[in-house]
Amino acid sequence: MPELPEVETVRRGLAPVMEGQVMARVEVNRPDLRWPFPERMAERLTGRRVLQLRRRSKYLLGDLDSGETLLIHLGMSGRMTVSGDPLGRFVHDHPAAQKHDHVVFHMESGARITFNDPRRFGAMDLMPTATADQHRLLSVLGPEPLGNDFHEAHLIAAFRGKNTPVKSALLDQGIVAGLGNIYVCEALFRCGISPLRKAGQISAARVATLVPAIRDVLERAIAAGGSSLKDFRQADGELGYFQHSFDVYGREGLPCRTPGCSDTIRRKVQSGRSTFYCPSCQR
Ligand SMILES: [Zn+2]
């Protein structure tokens, strides 16, 4: 499932092909993904220029010259592929249509952007740009973890009196937007905080350490994603998936990487999601 760094990598890959460019034709090959597509979606997108491609949490937001914003959510298995970009960045020829190519954006430049989603947990919607932040999926979101509104005082206040495990509190999109399972595990390890500890019982000083740790794990992953974009001439044009190594995530039974720690990484299921942590380093 794409997390924030993957979505940001997709955004950075799509931006040069979409921003300032006109969608000459838009194919919508089915009535819905997770939810029905907005009414007359193809018609409302056709001929429109994309002014800006933004990201809020794990949503891509394309502001159009019609005054509407196109929201794209990759869901569990959504993929974006770019082909035939005449600007030379993506040199892949247009592939034959694949099963699950649900939406295809044919850009006036000749580039083609394909949204493929076998499980169809993805979503697209159109809304007025002026009130985009009031959209039902966006209005519930807390601050962006890499933005100025995410700071120590915010997190300390959000955790105060909270009886839920800190892992769950950090996954609460109203407290911080777009953080997923992988990066929460990594940030808690960095801070030496047990994922099982109740959020309200962690000292303010320790909560404060989470802010730079969260920013750092996300920024490092985004940097790895950026490196992956440079290799696209050799790849198949698919955006957003890259190799990245984690300290705890996916490392059950392997030695802890903290110098001097001889423990192994454990896995525990919390609210249906796997938590990876070192019981010696994280208290
Ligand atoms: Zn350890």
Side-chain angles (χ1 to χ4, degrees):
M1 180 167 178
E3 290 212 22
L4 187 153
E6 287 79 17
V7 177
E8 177 60 22
T9 302
V10 171
R11 190 197 70 76
R12 291 180 185 191
L14 289 179
V17 196
M18 291 191 96
E19 286 185 335
Q21 303 295 321
V22 171
M23 295 180 275
R25 186 162 71 84
V26 178
E27 267 177 63
V28 180
N29 295 327
R30 50 175 300 115
D32 56 11
L33 291 170
R34 183 168 189 175
W35 298 295
F37 284 122
E39 279 179 39
R40 302 181 297 106
M41 183 168 88
E43 196 182 314
R44 285 157 77 183
L45 294 175
T46 300
R48 300 328 328 188
R49 188 180 299 277
V50 181
L51 302 175
Q52 190 187 188
L53 188 66
R54 301 180 282 139
R55 180 188 56 74
R56 174 76 168 109
S57 182
K58 292 189 266 187
Y59 302 101
L60 295 170
L61 299 172
D63 298 331
L64 312 177
D65 64 356
S66 59
E68 289 197 297
T69 291
L70 170 66
L71 175 148
I72 302 173
H73 183 44
L74 300 174
M76 307 282 283
S77 57
R79 284 147 197 273
M80 286 287 195
T81 310
V82 176
S83 59
D85 173 27
L87 303 174
R89 190 151 172 209
F90 298 95
V91 293
H92 323 285
D93 292 336
H94 295 313
Q98 302 287 311
K99 200 178 175 189
H100 313 301
D101 282 353
H102 303 312
V103 180
V104 185
F105 303 92
H106 299 262
M107 308 305 287
E108 204 171 65
S109 66
R112 188 182 293 174
I113 299 155
T114 302
F115 181 84
N116 182 291
D117 185 5
R119 296 178 65 184
R120 299 203 307 266
F121 280 105
M124 288 193 195
D125 205 356
L126 274 165
M127 66 197 98
T129 303
T131 55
D133 56 2
Q134 292 160 36
H135 187 274
R136 68 188 170 87
L137 295 173
L138 306 182
S139 64
V140 295
L141 297 172
E144 283 292 310
L146 297 174
N148 293 333
D149 294 335
F150 181 64
H151 46 63
E152 296 166 359
H154 164 76
L155 204 56
I156 291 165
F159 279 10
R160 197 166 291 141
K162 260 214 172 312
N163 247 335
T164 52
V166 60
K167 165 100 188 291
S168 314
L170 288 173
L171 287 175
D172 179 343
Q173 301 298 297
I175 290 180
V176 52
L179 263 196
N181 200 36
I182 296 174
Y183 298 98
V184 167
C185 291
E186 294 294 304
L188 287 169
F189 174 73
R190 295 265 189 114
C191 298
I193 296 173
S194 166
L196 312 173
R197 189 169 283 278
K198 288 191 169 124
Q201 289 174 356
I202 306 168
S203 73
R206 297 184 79 205
V207 172
T209 63
L210 280 165
V211 172
I214 288 167
R215 289 180 187 272
D216 192 58
V217 293
L218 292 175
E219 276 165 1
R220 278 168 192 269
I222 289 169
S227 312
S228 78
L229 286 177
K230 293 184 188 132
D231 299 330
F232 269 175
R233 282 166 208 277
Q234 288 83 41
D236 59 1
E238 184 183 315
L239 298 172
Y241 294 84
F242 49 88
Q243 294 292 317
H244 191 54
S245 69
F246 301 110
D247 284 331
V248 286
Y249 188 82
R251 296 193 66 243
E252 183 184 14
L254 294 173
C256 175
R257 285 180 177 159
T258 304
C261 177
S262 53
D263 214 336
T264 53
I265 302 305
R266 313 291 166 86
R267 184 176 73 94
K268 200 177 177 83
V269 176
Q270 277 183 294
S271 315
R273 316 281 300 276
S274 284
T275 297
F276 296 89
Y277 67 109
C278 172
S280 295
C281 295
Q282 293 176 254
R283 300 300 178 107

